[in-house]
Amino acid sequence: MGKPVIHYIAGMSGSVAFSAGPVGIKKAGRHSLIPRLSGILLPVLLVVWLSACAGVPPVSEKPPDKGLPSPEMVEAPGQPGHAGHARMAAAHNLVQSGFQRLQKKDYDGAIRVLERAVGIQPDNGSAYYYLAEAWLAQKHYQRAARFNELARLYLRDDSDWARRAEFQKQRIEKADREGDTGNNISER
């Protein structure tokens, strides 16, 4: 005697199982597990198979606007091509704002904004450079020297900025030698 063979017929209302054996053809019960699984599994497999065939569109990064006024966007060391990241762009905007405040001689406002830029992007050398400028203008030579040190560290790979930072160091040292007491570098 042979074993019964089960055939499935998939329809709109689900699958129906029939078994054929030596006794004849019999319809499987409505609550049978196999028809319910095939009614669920078949559409899921179809969706997975079709989604695997779909291509994923490439994500394109738009470079930031190169026409911005000074300060220029400086790439982070060891991270070429990442200038479009939101953190770097936000820090750059804050450095721009700090630079504008420096030009208006709002040194306290510039310091607040530039410190936020450094908080967002700690390796932003131009932010440290402008912080040193703000502290130098307020005759806080020790703080100016500390920020200049950080500026020279983070701007060393950019020859223009490195030159500016080195000249700034000389101006800070000269102002300290000629300046008033209380905020001098030599009192460290």
Side-chain angles (χ1 to χ4, degrees), residues 123-146:
D123 61 352
N124 189 319
S126 59
Y128 291 115
Y129 176 86
Y130 291 118
L131 275 166
E133 284 294 321
W135 286 114
L136 177 61
Q138 291 189 335
K139 299 181 181 179
H140 288 272
Y141 306 123
Q142 184 177 357
R143 290 181 183 170
R146 286 184 185 161

Side-chain angles (χ1 to χ4, degrees), residues 16-147:
V16 178
F18 291 93
S19 63
V23 179
I25 298 177
K26 216 168 42 169
K27 182 177 178 182
R30 187 170 181 87
H31 299 291
S32 176
L33 180 62
I34 294 173
R36 283 187 287 163
L37 283 178
S38 65
I40 295 170
L41 192 58
L42 189 60
V44 170
L45 289 174
L46 182 63
V47 167
V48 170
W49 180 71
L50 288 175
S51 65
C53 295
V56 179
V59 177
S60 64
E61 279 189 31
K62 291 185 178 181
D65 184 11
K66 298 292 183 186
L68 295 174
S70 185
E72 299 86 24
M73 177 94 66
V74 178
E75 293 286 338
Q79 296 181 353
H82 287 86
H85 287 296
R87 292 178 69 86
M88 187 175 219
H92 178 69
N93 289 337
L94 289 169
V95 171
Q96 286 285 50
S97 177
F99 174 73
Q100 290 168 356
R101 289 174 187 247
L102 274 173
Q103 289 180 321
K104 295 176 184 174
K105 299 187 186 318
D106 176 14
Y107 303 119
D108 291 329
I111 289 169
R112 279 192 308 274
V113 170
L114 292 166
E115 284 178 344
R116 285 180 48 209
V118 168
I120 292 172
Q121 187 187 14
D123 61 352
N124 189 319
S126 59
Y128 291 115
Y129 176 86
Y130 291 118
L131 275 166
E133 284 294 321
W135 286 114
L136 177 61
Q138 291 189 335
K139 299 181 181 179
H140 288 272
Y141 306 123
Q142 184 177 357
R143 290 181 183 170
R146 286 184 185 161
F147 285 114

